[in-house]
Amino acid sequence: MMASIGEFDPLNTRVPATKIEIKKCVFSFLHASFLASTPPLSLPVVVLYLQAVGTKEWREFGRTEVIDNTRNPDFVRKFVLDFFFEEKQNLRFDVYNVDSRSCNISKHDFLGQTFCTLGEIIGSTGGRMERTLSGIPGKKCGVIILTAEELSNCRDIATMQLCANKLDKKDFFGKSDPFLVFYRSNEDGTFTICHKTEVIKNTLNPVWQSFTIPVRALCNGDYDRTVKVDVYDWDRDGSHDFIGEFTTSYRELSRGQNQFNVYEVRHNMEMVTLLSFKVESEYTFPTSLHYMSPYQMNAYAMALKAVGEIIQDYDSDKLFPAYGFGAKLPPDGKISHAFPLNGDNENPNCVGIEGVLETYFQSLRAVQLYGPTNFAPVINKVANCAAEITDGSQYFVLLMITDGVISDMVQTKEAVVNAAALPLSIIIVGVGPAEFDAMEELDGDEVRVSSRGRLAERDIVQFVPFRDYIDRSGNQVLSMARLAKDVLAEIPDQLLSFMKSRGIEPRPALSSSPLPHSHKHHQY
């Protein structure tokens, strides 16, 4: 049999209430010192690679920002990694000089590299490790200094805006080009850069754009820890002129705009003023079932891949519309319960299951996870498509991956009852530790789903809890194969029950030369 599988894979993007406790470390590149062999105008960037446990393949985790015209850069960007005491986590740091606009790192000049483990950095005195760079035969490549600090559990983010007036004129021609550099104080009395504002050109009275920063990055959860702010005048050659500095703290900043948050930069009435300050809770993927670890796929992705790779063989064009539900969408933060993961309402299709996975991961970075969790909108969206093709030429399978919370059970039951009359099956995979009583009720194996006195014409819902398929020996391939087998087991009978109820006969198989004595296969 052959069936075209149309609507596919709405992914529930709601933050669950359950917490996954993970110890994390943040990398600070205090600086990388490069020797005279580097180009006179250096634009260094550091690339971090993690080594996969199974394949030993090196995968890029992230890059620092590019620092203009310096051989001794202080990088602002940090890498946040999960630290597992019981595992050897191999890291590689590659340093490049950026000499083109290409995103392909191999197009840039290689300056050196070093290898270490996350445990080595954490175990170093004060969490600070200095390593010599190597990788260019016969050359001294310089030194990189790595620091690690355990992040506090503070998950708030702060948004603030500052301005200044009467800044010192540093440029011979024109006025100054000022910018601010924020530093967090460390336990040992040193400072680590945590933010740079943009440069405001040709002014002594700049108003910088508001910016957002995690509170843990600003003070690591210690509200009274010193925050130092330097004021600079930007120069094209990288030798920025120091205008002055002031110190504050998160607790002081959180008072907002008042007389306490007007800071004297020098003794000649140069002032920096806090214009606004607000704090919001930050919902991050490490506290979510959607969290993307560099070491393995999350439960949503594993379930999607396990089921999708099998059913995609029965789809002729390998194009899968993919939807999310339970998120605020950019740019206006509107809540949606049936949005295309690729952001294209006209064409929500993804190419193959790999395309769906890629779009899912991209969507996680673009939307804000949000409740409530409504199932009915996306079921109805798929049902509307199935209702347009009821001649048996296509059969739709909707895969829903959810944490089990459902806010519109009454509407969802009605949607399922209506969909039971259409060429449609619904697979629900429940992820996480929640109770799935509502999902069991929708399954209808024991009691057929009903709505307002109407029974569903067919049983079209198959539900399985993902946790039942976690192989204790760690064999994910085997456990995901069992998952796919169980959720797909009822699909053939559900397809046949629809065809029989509509009196649709299988079409004869296409054959260039009839074989009268053989059994012919049929397709719908």
Side-chain angles (χ1 to χ4, degrees), residues 288-306:
S288 164
L289 293 168
H290 292 282
Y291 171 55
M292 293 180 291
S293 162
Y295 300 102
Q296 67 177 38
M297 290 191 294
N298 65 30
Y300 283 82
M302 287 171 66
L304 167 61
K305 188 176 177 68

Side-chain angles (χ1 to χ4, degrees), residues 6 64 85 131 165 255 311 345:
T64 65
F85 176 80
R131 279 292 176 95
N165 44 349
R255 295 179 180 182
I311 60 176
N345 284 299

